[in-house]
Amino acid sequence: AQSVTQPDIHITVSEGASLELRCNYSYGATPYLFWYVQSPGQGLQLLLKYFSGDTLVQGIKGFEAEFKRSQSSFNLRKPSVHWSDAAEYFCAVSPSGGSYIPTFGRGTSLIVHP
Amino acid sequence: DTGVSQDPRHKITKRGQNVTFRCDPISEHNRLYWYRQTLGQGPEFLTYFQNEAQLEKSRLLSDRFSAERPKGSFSTLEIQRTEQGDSAMYLCASSRDHSPGYTFGSGTRLTVV
């Protein structure tokens, strides 16, 4: 069974600083990987996804993520954080076939200081 | 693309009552997923439909829970004899075949008092 670990429950950064949110997954084969963002009381919005190919994936809102098979990681990065990026961020993994049912991590809450 | 719609946005109910939620997926998406999210946690999988067929159910989906997607379009999730532990956000997502990149609705927030 697949699983996702987001080791940081909260991350605090200053506006304009760089950001890296960690995600480690467990899955027997090459998975599909996702990052979602959730604002309070809202659903989840897809930031980016990795299926295959280039291990550095570009997403919306200036986010990127890098798939590292050797480390079973898919960390999310942004070079300069804006106050509007404050939200909950979820990493997810799904099988690369069949039902494609994604499994989510518990999330990382991003706090942005002015 | 009008997105995934969920109704109602909020529901407050007394313990023991039945509740039903509706999800309207993106029209060309044939896969539909229900998730439950409690405070401070990530979404947990409940059940999955491909067209009108319910293909997988989580152990979280007790006998009090039932989901349908009668014509392969909208879906309903019913909880019978609600308990306080059912209080959560219920999220619906849809996707195309062979192209996972799930689009989520805004969710239904259930509070059982």
Side-chain angles (χ1 to χ4, degrees), chain A residues 12-17 81-83 111-114:
Chain A
T12 301
V13 299
S14 297
E15 192 169 14
V81 170
H82 188 263
W83 65 266
I111 301 163
V112 180
H113 281 311

Side-chain angles (χ1 to χ4, degrees), chain B residues 2 11 15 26 33 58 63 76 79 86 98:
Chain B
T2 56
K11 178 72 176 178
R15 190 176 51 181
I26 293 172
Y33 306 79
S58 159
D63 291 345
T76 58
I79 309 174
D86 297 330
H98 310 300

Side-chain angles (χ1 to χ4, degrees), chain B residues 56-112:
Chain B
E56 280 199 44
K57 292 194 288 187
S58 159
R59 289 173 299 171
L60 292 175
L61 212 67
S62 75
D63 291 345
R64 296 184 297 106
F65 287 69
S66 62
E68 295 182 340
R69 195 183 182 196
K71 297 181 180 179
S73 56
F74 73 92
S75 176
T76 58
L77 177 69
E78 181 183 17
I79 309 174
Q80 296 182 325
R81 305 181 304 281
T82 51
E83 302 172 356
Q84 286 189 320
D86 297 330
S87 296
M89 174 79 89
Y90 291 84
L91 294 163
C92 175
S94 68
S95 74
R96 289 190 180 91
D97 265 341
H98 310 300
S99 181
Y102 320 87
T103 300
F104 279 83
S106 296
T108 294
R109 167 75 65 189
L110 173 66
T111 302
V112 181

Side-chain angles (χ1 to χ4, degrees), chain B residues 29-47:
Chain B
H29 286 186
N30 64 330
R31 294 175 182 241
L32 187 147
Y33 306 79
W34 283 99
Y35 280 78
R36 182 176 72 183
Q37 185 179 24
T38 53
L39 203 59
Q41 299 297 319
E44 297 172 294
F45 170 72
L46 291 178
T47 190

